[in-house]
């Protein structure tokens, strides 16, 4: 069964480079990013892990915990971590799971037989504090992910979870947002006393809410 947006993220227990991870306990009260790698010692994955390590402070200030997943053995992760630090200039600073039996990969539908029967594709899940899946993205093994985009989406998810707004195309932190249609004009006046720009009755633009 595929994991869909809105589903509860399956719980699991796995060994990692930072000890045993009980997933639901690990993310308790936090947002989380869980992303898979086709295999250790592969070039694209090496660049991805290095760049994600450089974003540690960016994830931390958003209250996001990051977990990488590989189907390779835990003892192989240390050598790969050294390569990541040497080539990318940043040491691994988040847990890398060892899913050697592929159980979690199958739970999260990370293995696609049409692509490869044994290796995980580049799956990425953003999971909220309620342990529900908020975002899922899949890339082919040949294409590196855009982690700046992941941060942008997390900003949108966190903002829209708190306020009754949506974010328009290519939105970035601090830019104008859209009042969702479910909010009437009367309710919007209470929320936004300074008003909004109405392009259509269903398209009302307002500065990003603060706080």
């Amino acid at each position: 069964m595929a994991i869909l947006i809105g589903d509860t993220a399956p719980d699991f227990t796995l060994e990692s480079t930072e000890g045993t991870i009980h997933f639901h306990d690990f993310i308790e009260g936090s947002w989380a990013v869980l992303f898979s790698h086709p295999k250790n010692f592969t070039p694209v994955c090496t660049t991805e892990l290095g760049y994600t390590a450089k974003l540690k402070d960016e994830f931390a200030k958003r209250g996001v915990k990051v977990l990488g997943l590989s189907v390779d053995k835990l003892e192989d992760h240390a050598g790969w971590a050294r390569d990541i630090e040497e080539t990318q200039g940043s040491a691994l600073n988040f847990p890398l799971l060892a899913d050697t039996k592929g159980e979690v990969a199958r739970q999260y539908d990370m293995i696609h037989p049409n692509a490869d029967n044994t290796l995980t594709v580049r799956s990425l899940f953003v999971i909220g504090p309620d342990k529900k899946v908020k975002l899922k993205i899949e890339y082919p093994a040949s294409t590196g992910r855009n982690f700046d985009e992941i941060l942008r989406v997390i900003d949108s998810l966190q903002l829209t979870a708190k306020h009754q707004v949506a974010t328009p195309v290519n939105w970035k932190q601090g830019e104008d947002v859209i009042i969702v249609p479910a909010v009437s004009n009367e309710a919007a006046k209470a929320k936004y006393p300074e008003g909004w720009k109405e392009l259509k009755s269903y398209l009302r633009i307002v500065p990003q809410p603060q706080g």
Side-chain angles (χ1 to χ4, degrees):
M1 286 288 290
I3 302 295
L4 303 177
I5 290 174
D7 288 350
T8 298
D11 197 13
F12 59 80
T13 299
L14 275 182
E15 295 304 313
S16 82
T17 51
E18 297 187 11
T20 304
I21 299 289
H22 304 285
F23 186 51
H24 280 191
D25 292 342
F26 176 80
I27 65 172
E28 185 65 38
S30 300
W31 289 72
V33 170
L34 173 66
F35 64 117
S36 60
H37 305 281
K39 192 171 177 62
N40 286 8
F41 301 101
T42 51
V44 178
C45 302
T46 300
T47 64
E48 287 183 330
L49 286 171
Y51 191 72
T52 303
K54 290 175 183 176
L55 294 176
K56 181 180 178 65
D57 290 345
E58 292 297 323
F59 283 114
K61 75 183 185 183
R62 292 166 172 83
V64 179
K65 295 181 177 179
V66 177
L67 276 170
L69 179 142
S70 172
V71 293
D72 285 318
K73 296 176 183 177
L74 185 62
E75 51 264 36
D76 292 337
H77 289 355
W80 190 24
R82 287 192 294 272
D83 285 0
I84 291 165
E85 183 172 10
E86 178 187 341
T87 62
Q88 306 304 306
S90 188
L92 197 65
N93 52 25
F94 55 89
L96 183 58
L97 298 161
D99 185 26
T100 52
K101 295 181 180 177
E103 292 172 353
V104 175
R106 285 188 290 275
Q107 268 185 308
Y108 280 81
D109 200 30
M110 293 172 169
I111 295 176
H112 293 185
N114 290 340
D116 191 298
N117 238 345
T118 57
L119 304 182
T120 52
V121 294
R122 296 186 196 287
S123 299
L124 184 144
F125 297 86
V126 175
I127 296 154
D130 57 0
K131 300 182 178 67
K132 293 190 182 298
V133 174
K134 307 299 183 183
L135 172 82
K136 57 179 288 191
I137 305 178
E138 291 175 348
Y139 289 69
S142 58
T143 302
R145 286 165 280 209
N146 184 336
F147 280 84
D148 293 331
E149 165 66 2
I150 304 308
L151 289 174
R152 188 193 75 86
V153 173
I154 290 170
D155 285 341
S156 173
L157 289 169
Q158 293 183 339
L159 177 70
T160 57
K162 191 170 185 179
H163 302 279
Q164 289 180 298
V165 296
T167 54
V169 61
N170 296 334
W171 175 87
K172 296 183 182 66
Q173 183 70 258
E175 295 181 349
D176 290 352
V177 298
I178 297 168
I179 303 171
V180 297
V183 176
S184 68
N185 281 344
E186 290 71 26
K189 286 174 186 175
K191 284 178 170 288
Y192 309 107
E194 295 181 5
W196 56 86
K197 183 191 300 181
E198 186 166 308
L199 303 180
K200 292 288 183 182
S201 60
Y202 59 85
L203 183 53
R204 296 166 294 171
I205 307 298
V206 70
Q208 175 181 324
Q210 301 302 310

